[in-house]
Amino acid sequence: MTQVQTDILGVAREQVLGRGAGLSLEQTLEVLRLGDDRLEELLALAHDVRMKWCGPEVEVEGIISLKTGGCPEDCHFCSQSGLFQSPVRAAWLDIPSLVEAAKQTAKTGATEFCIVAAVRGPDERLMAQVAAGVEAIRNEVDIQVACSLGMLTQEQVDQLAAMGVHRYNHNLETAKSHFPNVVTTHTWEERWDTLRMVREAGMEVCCGGILGMGETLEQRAEFATQLAELEPDEVPLNFLNPRPGTPFGELEVLPAADALRAVAAFRLALPRTILRFAGGREITLGDLGAKQGILGGINAVIVGTYLTTLGRPAEADIDLLGELKMPIKALNETL
């Protein structure tokens, strides 16, 4: 008589590693509830899943803010909202600075450069700036261009696709059930609609969120499952870095073990997806955690600074990938 496997890591080994089928909501929650004594085993399994279904390559990306601060939305984690007493003030970046940032990003070995704007959605001025920026970058730098400009209309989606934008980032941020506790000026469904249009236009979909915003483990599992339903090409995982003056400014930083457990759980729920380390990993995990995460399911990193916070030096991440013998994904394989 065949023994039925009941241990969640045994189940995941057969289901995810063996067959490439992601964990369900209930299974993901079970993983998130594992004790610290199982963390090393969990991370090793997540790494095996990543290696089997994604391979050893790591995608490296740099990001730059074209328009910083002054955003009309009330995302409670964000110091770029114009509604909070936070230190970030509105500013625009000129095109030559944008091109220079893309050049510096390419020098690190990065294959992706993302233009970001702190807006609800782009107006005509911003779309014109993005079009000029994308054209200038493509003329001078051999790098893929992605954008993150908030919620889009169908016309704007079509314009970005026509510009040759490779990938569009728009984070759902958190589980649908937790979203009203994080943002009140727009809905989770509005974000979902933008992502659907992006996919239908043929651009790659980049969609993740932030962990440690007061969500329960059940909501963390819900979020992973909702992302799996969306089937994004890439999921950036951020960890809350509490910003002074924001509603979440007093929240505690997510414990490192919980962050690593979440990374592994998201990998087991999304076995074939690019899972990217993004903001907050330095304060949450430190240098050791960066290594553990890359050996625990992560296969992409943002290098350098983020939008309003400092990251690890790009060289430190590139050196770490070399130490771990993980090749940086070549540009010609992403074109």
Side-chain angles (χ1 to χ4, degrees), residues 7-25:
D7 175 68
I8 185 58
L9 293 188
V11 171
R13 190 166 281 108
E14 185 278 326
Q15 177 182 321
V16 188
L17 183 60
R19 295 188 279 117
L23 296 185
S24 68
L25 189 154

Side-chain angles (χ1 to χ4, degrees), residues 219-255:
Q219 287 168 326
R220 215 166 280 169
E222 177 196 343
F223 184 36
T225 309
Q226 287 163 344
L227 286 171
E229 182 185 344
L230 178 67
E231 297 183 331
D233 299 278
E234 175 190 339
V235 170
L237 279 182
N238 300 269
F239 306 96
L240 183 70
N241 183 347
R243 297 288 83 204
T246 67
F248 288 169
E250 302 302 317
L251 288 182
E252 292 189 9
V253 172
L254 194 66

